[in-house]
């Protein structure tokens, strides 16, 4: 029997079920596959008398990719009953295949993730190719979903409640060797060609052995490893688990809570009831807004970035060999580390050899931590360090494919180092500025080749932050953008491409978040309310804490530079209420930020940081009425409005760059799917209505022009 997604062959008592979705590079649980699985399961049942065993295999380079996520994107709350039936239908067919009284063997030739791993779990015996690049597991939580094709129920019954938690609640993926070690894969082979012979050998040896044809949870003597929730030890741990989870999710992510509930409730009932509980929880999430938001961004938008949708086409792939960095401060030394750990020869230049050596010391410090933990050999560390050449001489930059300037945010200084270093580039090389705010077209005026000048904006700390913002100047050509994109991907980071403007996309939008927080403080809203509201909305930290970390003095420096730039153009820059308050903090109250001793917070030596007590006296207005929802909305909506403005102005050219940039660059809450998905997930009409209310109360920062409204409609994703 051959269907559009599955082939079924019966020969010598062996039924081979081969997943082979036509017209797709991978196998997915699309609606066609669900229909085909009905037919295949029915055929298995009809052939029962002839069966000696069943083999599950794949005709693709991977085993099975999982659910059809486009279908989830089209679901609405009204689809709940239909979605529940679809989930139950898949499981019923799985159950038919695994309960025929014959051994079922899963031949895992490649990755099996999410629904793919649940397909693999149908087999009583699982054989995998021992390739360290192959991944198994249940990453559904990262997309706002839970495993619902039996993944929770089966993994919990195989591993036990506590041991299964990392694989379910934390979406921990694992390779073939770990799978063998924890007992979810039973055999490893060196090549895919060995899978079928080993499967047939297992089926032969299993004849007449009922336990080889029965899953552990179906056996009469089954006991859950570690005990059920009624076990006092497990009960004690479970009593605190929801509180610990709530602390992590802040109640904004329903999937981890649903997964924990399905695990615990399922452990207290029989297998079939546990499977139904799991289906109900999954159906609820699949038709909810958070899953749609997260799938949109962490699957579709992320694949767009990784697949190079913002990279200019028709430019050959570029591999950087030698890259120079100007400035061995925190940013320059972080870039040097990122490059050297990916095998890129790095020349790290500063004004003195001593300063450059200190910059290299950052890589020594980070790699030494890994050596001490046994995560890296001393030889590997030496190999990484040997790739970094510290220097005070510009001539050592000779032959670099790319030179990145990472000096202080001062236009004149950047111009000086550009003119000194650019002539050292290899033939066809290009130059980049790691500025976070200064327009690239202006900085490119110091370059002899503005077409080969680009912005590459890293985020601090470079070793932890995944996002890199590539900024196209007025004259930057496509080849340079494509090469910058390839360079960022070579570092294992996420590139977004934006057009030039003051602050580009991330710094400009992030500025609205921190300055809205400062403005609210100036209005008299208590500082703890502002900070806690940001955390409750899902931001990683409050706006005042962020201003302290990035330095209030830096914000003032940027403000002064902006005023000067406007002045040169014959215009006057009007500071926002937030900028005015930050300027007062620095100039009147001598509070420049954390690095200089204190800003909005005090940092007692050896103690925990706390809000500066004087904020209450200086700014709080005791009689002021404030609304917590308004405070939360002001912080999120202000960023979303700015993102929408960037879209209409052409600073952003795609929705995926905006969503990925806002989450990975400025910490916009992941539950929203990013600043633009926040708008689309809510619905454009509802967003416009709320913005009008906020603009009426809190000013023009929330106003949406007709052009912005039109642009949002034009860019709305369709699934």
């Amino acid at each position: 029997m051959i269907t559009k997604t599955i082939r079924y062959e019966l020969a010598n008592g062996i039924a081979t079920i081969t997943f082979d979705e036509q017209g797709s590079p991978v196998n997915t649980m699309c609606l066609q596959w669900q229909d085909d699985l009905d037919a295949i399961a029915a055929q298995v049942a009809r052939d029962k008398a002839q069966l000696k065993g069943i083999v599950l295999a794949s005709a693709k380079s991977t085993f099975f990719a999982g659910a059809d996520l486009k279908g989830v994107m089209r679901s609405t709350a009204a689809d709940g009953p239909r979605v529940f039936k679809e989930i139950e239908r898949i499981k019923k067919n799985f159950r038919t295949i695994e309960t025929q009284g014959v051994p079922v063997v899963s031949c895992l030739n490649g990755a099996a993730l999410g629904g793919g791993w649940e397909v693999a779990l149908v087999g009583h015996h699982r054989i995998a190719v021992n390739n360290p690049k192959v991944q198994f597991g249940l990453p559904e939580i990262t997309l706002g979903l839970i495993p619902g094709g039996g993944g929770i129920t089966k993994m919990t019954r195989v591993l036990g409640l506590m041991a299964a938690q990392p694989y379910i609640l934390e979406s921990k993926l694992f390779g073939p060797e770990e799978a063998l070690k924890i007992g979810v894969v039973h055999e490893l082979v060196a090549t895919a060609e060995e899978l079928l012979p080993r499967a047939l050998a297992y089926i032969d040896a299993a004849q007449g052995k009922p336990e080889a044809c029965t899953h552990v949870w179906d056996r009469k003597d089954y006991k859950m490893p570690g005990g059920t929730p009624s076990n006092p030890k497990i009960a004690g741990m479970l009593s605190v688990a929801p509180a610990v989870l709530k602390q992590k999710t802040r109640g904004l992510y329903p999937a981890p809570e649903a997964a924990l509930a399905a695990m615990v409730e399922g452990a207290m009932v029989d297998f079939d009831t546990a499977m139904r509980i799991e289906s109900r929880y999954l159906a609820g999430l699949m038709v909810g807004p958070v899953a749609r938001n997260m799938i949109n961004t962490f699957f579709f938008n992320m694949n767009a970035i990784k697949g190079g949708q913002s990279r200019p086409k028709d430019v050959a792939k570029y591999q950087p060999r030698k890259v120079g960095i100007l400035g061995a401060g925190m940013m320059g030394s972080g870039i040097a580390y990122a490059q050297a750990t990916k095998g890129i020869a790095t020349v790290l230049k500063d004004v003195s050899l001593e300063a450059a050596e200190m910059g290299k010391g950052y890589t020594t410090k980070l790699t030494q931590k890994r050596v001490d933990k046994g995560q890296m050999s001393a030889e590997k560390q030496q190999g990484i360090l040997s790739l970094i050449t510290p220097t005070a001489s510009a001539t050592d930059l000779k032959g670099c494919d790319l030179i990145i300037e990472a000096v202080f945010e001062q236009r004149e200084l950047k111009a000086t180092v550009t003119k000194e270093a650019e002539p050292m580039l290899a033939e066809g090389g290009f130059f980049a500025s790691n500025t976070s705010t200064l327009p690239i077209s202006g900085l490119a005026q110091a370059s002899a080749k503005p077409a080969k000048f680009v912005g590459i904006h890293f985020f601090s700390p470079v070793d932890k932050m995944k996002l890199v913002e590539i900024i196209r100047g007025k004259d930057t050509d496509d080849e340079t953008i494509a090469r910058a994109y390839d360079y960022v991907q070579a570092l294992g980071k996420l590139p977004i491409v934006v057009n030039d403007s003051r602050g580009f996309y991330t710094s400009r939008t992030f500025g609205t978040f921190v300055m809205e927080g400062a403005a609210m403080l100036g209005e008299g809203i208590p500082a703890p309310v502002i900070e806690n509201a940001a955390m409750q909305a899902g931001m990683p930290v409050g706006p005042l804490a962020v201003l302290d970390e990035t330095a209030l003095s830096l914000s003032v420096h940027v403000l002064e530079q902006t005023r000067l730039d406007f002045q040169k153009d014959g215009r006057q820059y009007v500071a926002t209420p937030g900028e005015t308050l930050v300027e007062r903090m620095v100039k009147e109250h001598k509070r420049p930020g954390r690095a200089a001793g204190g800003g909005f917070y005090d940092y007692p030596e050896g103690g925990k940081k706390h809000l500066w007590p004087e904020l209450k006296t200086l700014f709080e207005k005791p009689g002021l009425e404030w609304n917590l929802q308004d405070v939360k909305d002001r912080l999120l909506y202000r960023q979303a409005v700015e993102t929408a403005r960037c879209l209409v102005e052409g600073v952003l050219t795609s929705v995926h760059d905006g969503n990925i940039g806002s989450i990975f660059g400025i910490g916009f809450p992941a539950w929203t799917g990013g600043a633009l998905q926040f708008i689309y997930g809510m619905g454009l009409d509802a967003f416009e209505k709320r913005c009008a209310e906020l603009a009426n109360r809190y000013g023009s920062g929330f106003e949406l022009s007709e052009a912005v409204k039109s642009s949002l409609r034009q860019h709305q994703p369709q699934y």
Side-chain angles (χ1 to χ4, degrees):
M1 179 195 282
I2 298 177
T3 68
K4 288 179 183 168
T5 65
I6 310 172
R7 295 200 308 270
Y8 178 85
E9 299 159 86
L10 178 60
N12 305 319
I14 306 297
T16 305
I17 297 170
T18 307
F19 301 108
D20 188 12
E21 186 178 327
Q22 298 308 297
S24 169
V26 293
N27 296 307
T28 66
M29 291 176 164
C30 59
L31 277 171
Q32 181 64 54
W33 179 83
Q34 292 173 37
D35 290 342
D36 294 347
L37 190 65
D38 272 354
I40 298 295
Q43 189 63 47
V44 167
R46 281 195 294 274
D47 292 340
K48 182 173 182 173
Q50 304 171 57
L51 293 178
K52 278 169 51 185
I54 300 170
V55 174
L56 302 179
S58 165
K60 308 293 185 189
S61 59
T62 56
F63 178 69
F64 206 103
D68 169 27
L69 295 173
K70 280 191 177 175
V72 182
M73 291 303 293
R74 293 190 291 266
S75 303
T76 65
D79 293 316
R82 173 187 61 78
V83 170
F84 175 74
K85 275 185 193 155
E86 279 176 14
I87 300 164
E88 285 286 281
R89 172 164 74 132
I90 292 169
K91 286 160 123 160
K92 180 172 171 280
N93 290 325
F94 283 175
R95 204 74 179 122
T96 298
I97 294 167
E98 69 190 34
T99 55
Q100 292 303 311
V102 297
V104 181
V105 183
S106 298
C107 293
L108 308 178
N109 61 313
L113 295 169
W117 180 245
E118 291 171 317
V119 172
L121 289 173
V122 171
H124 305 110
H125 189 73
R126 295 175 283 282
I127 310 171
V129 174
N130 191 10
N131 177 346
K133 289 184 178 169
V134 166
Q135 286 193 311
F136 304 134
L138 300 166
E140 283 91 339
I141 297 271
T142 62
L143 298 175
L145 297 170
I146 63 168
I152 288 180
T153 305
K154 290 179 174 180
M155 288 290 276
T156 303
R157 274 164 163 72
V158 170
L159 300 174
L161 270 164
M162 303 320 288
Q165 281 192 26
Y167 302 102
I168 296 169
L169 299 183
E170 295 161 33
S171 294
K172 184 186 176 196
L173 302 183
F174 47 94
E177 288 193 345
E178 187 179 346
L180 184 71
K181 189 177 164 191
I182 64 174
V184 293
V185 158
H186 307 96
E187 203 176 333
L188 299 181
V189 293
T191 65
E193 290 69 37
E194 295 169 68
L195 286 168
L196 188 58
R198 290 304 310 143
L200 296 175
Y202 177 81
I203 290 169
D204 266 352
Q207 298 308 301
K209 295 178 183 170
E211 73 279 0
C213 321
T214 317
H215 282 298
V216 289
W217 52 81
D218 287 328
R219 296 175 193 168
K220 286 194 175 110
D221 60 350
Y222 172 74
K223 281 193 175 63
M224 186 167 285
T228 65
S230 59
N231 176 308
K233 195 176 170 190
I234 299 283
M237 288 177 185
L238 290 177
S239 64
V240 297
V244 172
L245 204 55
K246 198 81 161 186
Q247 204 173 9
K248 283 184 186 169
T249 67
R250 300 180 207 161
L252 299 168
Y253 300 86
E257 293 175 19
L260 180 63
M263 287 176 79
V264 177
E265 290 169 28
M268 295 192 280
V269 293
D270 64 276
F271 181 81
D272 291 334
T273 307
M275 292 282 265
R276 209 156 47 247
I277 287 168
E278 182 190 278
S279 298
R280 286 216 174 93
Y281 277 116
L282 175 59
L285 293 168
M286 278 175 80
V287 299
V290 174
R292 279 197 299 277
N293 290 343
M294 293 179 76
I295 289 166
N296 174 74
T297 301
F298 294 105
F299 185 79
F300 292 110
N301 289 180
M302 190 65 90
N303 284 345
I305 298 270
K306 288 178 177 172
Q309 263 189 39
S310 295
R311 181 191 188 273
K313 309 292 178 268
D314 308 320
V315 178
K317 199 82 177 143
Y318 166 79
Q319 181 62 44
R321 292 181 306 278
K322 182 181 177 186
V323 179
I325 300 162
L326 310 179
M330 193 174 159
M331 194 56 84
S333 54
I335 300 168
Y337 167 82
Q339 290 181 175
T341 51
K342 294 295 180 184
I344 298 170
T346 300
V347 180
L348 184 59
K349 183 194 177 297
D350 210 305
V351 287
S352 71
L353 182 59
E354 188 187 16
E357 291 277 12
M358 276 177 71
K360 180 176 178 175
Y362 182 73
T363 297
T364 309
K365 188 176 87 172
L366 289 182
T367 51
Q368 191 58 46
K369 282 180 186 171
R370 297 183 66 191
V371 171
D372 294 345
K373 287 177 183 170
Q375 296 167 344
M376 181 186 280
S377 68
E379 293 75 33
K380 177 91 189 281
Q381 181 191 32
Q382 283 314 307
I384 290 168
L385 291 170
S386 70
L387 287 168
I388 303 175
T389 305
T391 184
S393 167
T395 53
D396 286 335
L397 296 162
K398 207 162 184 54
C400 283
D401 310 312
L402 161 64
I403 294 174
I404 302 172
E405 161 277 293
V407 300
F408 190 63
E409 290 285 274
Q410 202 172 37
R411 199 179 301 280
E412 293 74 20
L413 175 62
K414 286 182 182 290
T416 303
V417 299
T418 301
K419 284 172 183 162
E420 179 190 33
E422 196 181 47
M424 301 298 150
L425 280 168
E427 187 67 34
F430 67 107
F431 196 95
S433 173
N434 174 58
T435 178
S436 57
T437 55
L438 299 173
I440 290 300
S441 304
L443 296 177
Q445 288 169 10
S447 167
K449 295 178 181 172
K452 301 296 173 192
F453 191 101
V454 67
I456 301 182
H457 173 209
F458 287 87
F459 293 76
S460 188
V462 178
D463 58 288
K464 290 194 175 77
M465 296 293 275
K466 294 278 287 181
L467 191 81
V468 178
E469 188 176 31
I470 296 168
I471 305 107
R472 184 194 283 271
K474 183 166 55 65
D475 299 311
T476 313
D477 64 19
D478 277 358
E479 181 187 56
T480 302
I481 294 295
R483 285 180 165 189
Y485 202 99
D486 295 344
Y487 161 72
V488 171
Q489 287 196 315
L491 298 180
K493 296 191 180 291
L494 295 169
I496 63 167
V497 179
V498 304
N499 283 318
D500 199 15
S501 80
R502 184 170 295 282
F504 323 123
Y505 166 53
T506 52
S507 297
R508 171 176 161 180
T509 305
F510 192 56
T512 63
F513 164 64
V514 294
M515 290 309 166
E516 194 63 30
M520 288 194 274
L521 182 68
E523 289 163 22
I525 297 172
V529 169
I530 299 163
E531 297 292 85
N532 286 325
M535 303 281 281
Q536 284 174 31
M539 293 297 294
V541 281
L544 306 180
V546 175
L547 275 163
D548 266 16
E549 295 296 336
T550 54
L552 280 73
S553 51
L554 178 63
S555 296
V556 172
H557 170 74
V558 170
L559 175 63
E560 286 168 346
Q561 183 74 57
T562 307
R563 282 179 179 140
L564 282 172
D565 291 350
F566 268 61
Q567 222 171 324
K568 279 178 193 164
D569 295 344
R571 296 179 294 159
Q572 189 184 358
Y573 179 74
V574 181
T576 65
E579 286 172 329
T580 307
L581 183 125
V582 170
E583 194 170 30
R584 275 184 62 196
M585 283 287 289
V586 173
K587 292 181 176 173
E588 285 178 35
H589 306 297
K590 308 289 182 275
R591 305 283 298 183
R594 179 171 191 163
F600 291 110
Y601 284 78
D602 273 334
Y603 301 90
E605 209 171 311
K608 208 174 165 195
K609 74 172 188 182
H610 55 81
L611 282 158
W612 184 40
E614 288 302 305
L615 294 179
K616 193 176 173 73
T617 320
L618 288 168
F619 304 113
E620 213 171 290
K621 292 178 184 159
L624 182 78
E625 280 187 27
W626 47 265
N627 175 299
L628 184 61
Q629 192 58 50
D630 277 10
V631 175
K632 285 199 260 192
D633 283 357
R634 285 176 72 176
L635 294 170
L636 293 188
Y637 275 75
R638 184 65 192 86
Q639 295 178 76
V641 168
E642 201 64 29
T643 300
R645 289 173 181 173
C646 286
L647 196 62
V648 76
E649 289 169 27
V651 174
L652 279 173
T653 58
S654 75
V655 168
H656 64 256
D657 282 333
N659 284 331
I660 294 291
S662 62
I663 289 175
F664 289 92
I666 59 182
F668 201 80
W671 66 267
T672 67
L676 288 167
Q677 182 56 30
F678 175 66
I679 299 170
Y680 293 127
M682 183 178 305
L684 288 169
D685 292 341
F687 180 74
E688 286 171 12
K689 183 170 179 278
R690 182 62 174 144
C691 281
E693 289 168 5
L694 293 170
N696 194 35
R697 282 182 225 158
Y698 307 112
S700 60
F702 300 96
E703 279 172 9
L704 297 175
S705 68
E706 289 308 314
V708 167
K709 291 176 187 178
S710 164
S711 170
L712 284 169
R713 279 172 169 73
Q714 186 191 323
H715 284 89
Q716 184 155 16
Q718 301 300 321
Y719 289 98

